Amino acid sequence: MRFEWFSLLLIGLAAAPLGIYCTRRVFIKTLRQAVDRQFYRKELEKQVEQRKLEFSLQQGELDDQRLRLETLQTQLHDDQRYQQAIKTCNQSLVHDFVIAVNQGQHSRATDIATHLTALLRAPFSTSEISGFPILELIDDVLVRLAPVAAQSGCRYLVIPPDFVLSRVEINAPKFQDILFHLLIQHLANANPGSVGIELRINGRDVTLSFTTETGTPDFAPGITMELGNALEQNDATWSEGQLRFPVRPHAGQLPADTGLRALVVARSDLERRSITGRLSRLGLQCTTELSSLPVDICVVGDETSETFRALHPYLSDATCVLLLGNRTVYQQPLWLQVDDPVTQKQLDTYIRDIARVKDESGSKHILAVDDSQANIQLLEMQLNELGHTVFTARSGTEALTQVEQHDFDLVFMDIQMPDMSGAEVTRRIRASNHKLPIIGLTAHATAQEREDYENAGMNDVLIKPVHGEKLKAVIQHMGRSNPRPPLAVGTGIRIPVFDLALSLANANQRFELAAELLNLLLAGLPEDQKAINDVSADYPALKKAVHKLHGAVHYCGVPRLTRAIEKLETALKQDDEHQVSLLLNLLNGEIAALIAWRRENKDVLLHPAGYGNSE
């Protein structure tokens, strides 16, 4: 038994190293496999990370390419809008140029040709440094842009500086080119709205600051490579809504006080600042307070606004109303349409005319001639109330003596006097080479008599009694060195569209004849109106067409239409292009008013008892 156990022990001791050896090999093998798996895992992870990095780089390149494609598409879209805008501007200017040439408006045609040249020349033109009015340079750009800006619903409003500049030395073509491209880029926005352009001079730079209305896109035009190069070459900069351009300013004198007061009815604060700034530079005192009435001028941005509708009834007949781009034809001769955008040149022209008329309405030395004590006292009182110095004469002989002894600005001459007629006195005054205006006064005058009085040398003939407002208008008219139809003729009396009493008087109180005359006029009125408007640019043909209509209305009891035709005929005789344009609008308005009145009063001459003067 012991031998067997000992044998087993020996056998176990002998086998132990072999077992350990086998176990070690298995362990080493297992360890190597584990190490290999760890190595392979790390390699795989490295490869995955590498693939991820490569994919990320490829994705980034795709994103860059997509961004470049979107940028190119945007640039293409903007360029198409830009080219369309240029085309629209060109077409509009070419159309206006042809009209100006056909109508013989050579000055306007020259201005339009200048704008066309600027549009068609290569962008960022060559240097041309000289002295220019900076505000007029900006206005020129806005005029070029006006057609496409209006189409896009955009308005550019210049806000002038507080101080006065006469001119600045500037590279005008390049400044205008850069400004034009900045402004037209903004029109690519879906809702560009109104943009204020505030003008400032800082040392040797002009700075334009661009602001927009609330709810509209900021003024942030894209700067193309060409535009960037133009800015750099001219030492100009564009940053945070401001354009800076080098200039050499020249200080100017303060504008002379015109003594005119202007009320501004604006659509927005930007428009208010723009208009008041422009008018202040022309020597006007501006206000936006309706309590400041009466005023000399009222500038209206929106004729449909509640503010203007409330103000309208309180405007004096002597107030000149400037309407920015209105679409309604008004019958008041002092209500004038101005361009929108309005330029400083255009405003200056209107203000000069209004100021001149006001000056010409000042105190004058007037001779009143009449053999009737009552008549001469009334005339003297009316003229004194208008602020004039009045001399009187009770006969033709006394009138001739007064004219030789004094220097008069105007003579009111009674025609029927016992010792010498007013016509004869006028002939003798003219024979002495006196050119002072002479106005005849009479209770009645036929067409032939009026012609005789004018041939004798009278400038005009008034029918007694003469109201104060009429006197004022005539004095204003005749006080000019080169008389033409007055800018305004306030009557103080509301003239009706149709005057029944006048119509019956012309028809010898026969209702059927008055009705026939009125119906004949209305039946041919549309054709006559079309004939007049068709030849509006041909003055000889226009005179004939207006004279024909004048003959048709003379006996129809339509005083407003008759008055409009008489004013237009007078302006045509004097070749006053500005007044003809305004009075054509007035005539069209009166025709429309008469047609509308007739539509509402079809039975006026069938049942006359219920009708009087119709306004």
Side-chain angles (χ1 to χ4, degrees):
M1 190 66 176
R2 289 181 181 175
F3 176 77
E4 290 177 357
W5 179 85
F6 183 73
S7 298
L8 291 172
L9 178 62
L10 290 175
I11 293 171
L13 291 172
L18 181 61
I20 293 171
Y21 174 73
C22 292
T23 302
R24 184 184 175 200
R25 290 189 61 186
V26 171
F27 172 76
I28 292 173
K29 181 178 181 181
T30 302
L31 182 61
R32 286 178 176 173
Q33 290 176 348
V35 171
D36 290 342
R37 284 197 296 272
Q38 184 70 19
F39 175 76
Y40 291 145
R41 184 180 296 111
K42 288 183 178 179
E43 287 296 320
L44 287 173
E45 289 175 353
K46 287 182 179 180
Q47 292 179 10
V48 169
E49 291 297 327
Q50 183 67 25
R51 294 294 177 85
K52 286 182 178 179
L53 179 61
E54 292 175 357
F55 178 77
S56 177
L57 292 175
Q58 291 174 354
Q59 186 66 37
E61 291 178 0
L62 288 175
D63 290 341
D64 290 343
Q65 291 177 2
R66 182 166 57 251
L67 182 60
R68 283 196 292 270
L69 179 60
E70 291 175 354
T71 301
L72 288 173
Q73 289 175 336
T74 301
Q75 290 176 350
L76 177 61
H77 177 69
D78 291 347
D79 186 62
Q80 289 173 341
R81 287 183 62 89
Y82 171 79
Q83 294 299 332
Q84 182 61 38
I86 295 292
K87 182 179 178 181
T88 303
C89 289
N90 279 333
Q91 290 174 341
S92 177
L93 288 172
V94 168
H95 179 263
D96 292 345
F97 177 78
V98 172
I99 292 177
V101 171
N102 290 338
Q103 293 183 352
Q105 300 175 351
H106 303 299
S107 177
R108 175 167 169 75
T110 301
D111 291 340
I112 296 172
T114 302
H115 295 320
L116 276 170
T117 303
L119 276 177
L120 297 174
R121 72 187 178 211
F124 319 118
S125 55
T126 57
S127 175
E128 185 182 331
I129 298 178
S130 186
F132 295 93
I134 186 67
L135 192 53
E136 290 183 14
L137 292 181
I138 298 174
D139 282 343
D140 284 345
V141 175
L142 300 187
V143 169
R144 292 179 217 162
L145 269 176
V148 68
Q151 193 177 72
S152 302
C154 180
R155 301 178 70 238
Y156 291 113
L157 303 165
V158 182
I159 303 170
D162 295 332
F163 56 90
V164 180
L165 284 173
S166 57
R167 304 171 77 83
V168 295
E169 291 184 23
I170 187 173
N171 187 337
K174 289 192 175 182
F175 169 75
Q176 290 185 312
D177 284 342
I178 290 173
L179 178 60
F180 178 86
H181 285 77
L182 287 173
L183 296 179
I184 207 168
Q185 289 282 350
H186 180 69
L187 299 181
N189 292 303
N191 178 29
S194 295
V195 178
I197 307 174
E198 189 166 359
L199 172 62
R200 296 194 306 273
I201 304 290
N202 302 315
R204 299 179 68 84
D205 294 317
V206 58
T207 301
L208 302 184
S209 300
F210 298 82
T211 56
T212 56
E213 294 177 321
T214 304
T216 58
D218 291 337
F219 189 85
I223 304 299
T224 62
M225 182 180 298
E226 293 83 358
L227 184 55
N229 290 337
L231 289 167
E232 183 177 354
Q233 291 169 6
N234 289 279
D235 195 25
T237 61
W238 168 258
S239 176
E240 298 181 353
Q242 289 189 341
L243 171 66
R244 183 190 60 80
F245 201 93
V247 298
R248 180 181 297 171
H250 296 277
Q253 296 180 348
L254 290 172
D257 186 0
T258 61
L260 300 176
R261 298 175 66 248
L263 174 65
V264 178
V265 182
R267 284 166 278 194
S268 64
D269 183 62
L270 286 178
E271 185 176 66
R272 177 192 62 78
R273 294 173 61 197
S274 176
I275 295 174
T276 55
R278 287 180 179 276
L279 294 177
S280 297
R281 291 175 63 87
L282 297 174
L284 276 74
Q285 298 177 4
C286 299
T287 180
T288 57
E289 298 295 331
L290 302 187
S291 58
S292 301
L293 294 173
V295 293
D296 301 291
I297 301 171
C298 179
V299 183
V300 182
D302 182 8
E303 60 184 327
T304 64
S305 68
E306 292 298 327
T307 302
F308 182 62
R309 288 178 179 176
L311 170 70
H312 182 181
Y314 300 99
L315 289 174
S316 164
D317 288 341
T319 299
C320 181
V321 179
L322 303 182
L323 299 145
L324 300 183
N326 64 299
R327 298 184 179 182
T328 304
V329 177
Y330 291 98
Q331 299 158 11
Q332 295 89 334
L334 267 182
W335 289 34
L336 311 173
Q337 177 176 339
V338 297
D339 295 338
D340 188 14
V342 63
T343 66
Q344 197 70 6
K345 270 187 178 180
Q346 188 182 30
L347 274 180
D348 184 49
T349 300
Y350 278 111
I351 300 307
R352 286 177 183 272
D353 282 345
I354 295 169
R356 174 175 50 78
V357 168
K358 182 182 177 183
D359 289 342
E360 290 168 355
S361 301
S363 177
K364 300 186 183 302
H365 287 69
I366 298 176
L367 174 63
V369 184
D370 200 308
D371 64 306
S372 167
Q373 180 67 24
N375 288 345
I376 207 166
Q377 285 181 344
L378 175 61
L379 182 58
E380 183 178 13
M381 180 186 69
Q382 290 174 313
L383 293 173
N384 284 330
E385 287 179 351
L386 293 174
H388 303 295
T389 301
V390 183
F391 295 75
T392 61
R394 297 287 302 278
S395 67
T397 303
E398 186 180 353
L400 290 173
T401 302
Q402 292 269 34
V403 169
E404 290 299 322
Q405 293 177 349
H406 302 283
D407 184 15
F408 295 111
D409 298 304
L410 183 63
V411 175
F412 283 100
M413 181 77 68
D414 182 31
I415 292 176
Q416 303 298 331
M417 292 186 292
D419 70 323
M420 189 185 305
S421 71
E424 179 60 28
V425 176
T426 301
R427 289 192 190 94
R428 296 191 183 189
I429 291 174
R430 296 296 182 224
S432 300
N433 201 29
H434 282 286
K435 296 182 179 180
L436 77 161
I438 301 176
I439 308 299
L441 300 174
T442 183
H444 179 268
T446 65
Q448 182 59 50
E449 287 172 336
R450 282 180 174 272
E451 185 176 346
D452 292 342
Y453 300 149
E454 290 178 2
N455 290 336
M458 291 185 178
N459 298 83
D460 199 355
V461 177
L462 302 182
I463 303 300
K464 300 176 184 179
V466 183
H467 298 285
E469 287 296 325
K470 182 63 175 178
L471 281 175
K472 180 179 179 181
V474 170
I475 294 169
Q476 173 182 299
H477 179 194
M478 291 300 170
R480 301 174 182 176
S481 57
N482 181 22
R484 60 178 183 176
L487 190 62
V489 180
T491 62
I493 301 174
R494 191 172 181 85
I495 301 176
V497 174
F498 176 75
D499 188 330
L500 180 60
L502 178 61
S503 175
L504 291 174
N506 291 333
N508 199 24
Q509 303 303 320
R510 294 170 56 191
F511 286 100
E512 67 280 3
L513 178 58
E516 182 180 358
L517 290 171
L518 180 61
N519 290 334
L520 285 173
L521 170 66
L522 289 166
L525 200 53
E527 183 179 346
D528 291 335
Q529 182 181 17
K530 182 178 184 301
I532 288 173
N533 290 324
D534 286 347
V535 296
S536 60
D538 183 354
Y539 274 21
L542 181 59
K543 289 178 182 178
K544 291 181 181 179
V546 172
H547 186 71
K548 176 187 174 184
L549 181 58
H550 193 182
V553 305
H554 193 69
Y555 299 99
C556 296
V558 285
R560 274 176 39 180
L561 180 57
T562 303
R563 185 182 68 164
I565 294 172
E566 289 173 348
K567 288 183 177 181
L568 180 56
E569 278 198 306
T570 302
L572 284 167
K573 289 178 182 178
Q574 297 175 345
D575 292 325
D576 191 331
E577 180 181 321
H578 178 65
Q579 288 288 329
V580 168
S581 176
L582 296 175
L583 293 172
L584 270 174
N585 286 338
L586 175 62
L587 176 62
N588 284 312
E590 293 295 358
I591 291 174
L594 178 60
I595 293 173
W597 169 86
R598 182 57 169 174
R599 195 179 299 121
E600 297 174 2
N601 300 276
K602 295 181 179 179
D603 300 332
V604 65
L605 286 168
L606 297 179
H607 308 287
Y611 293 87
N613 291 347
S614 302
E615 298 184 3

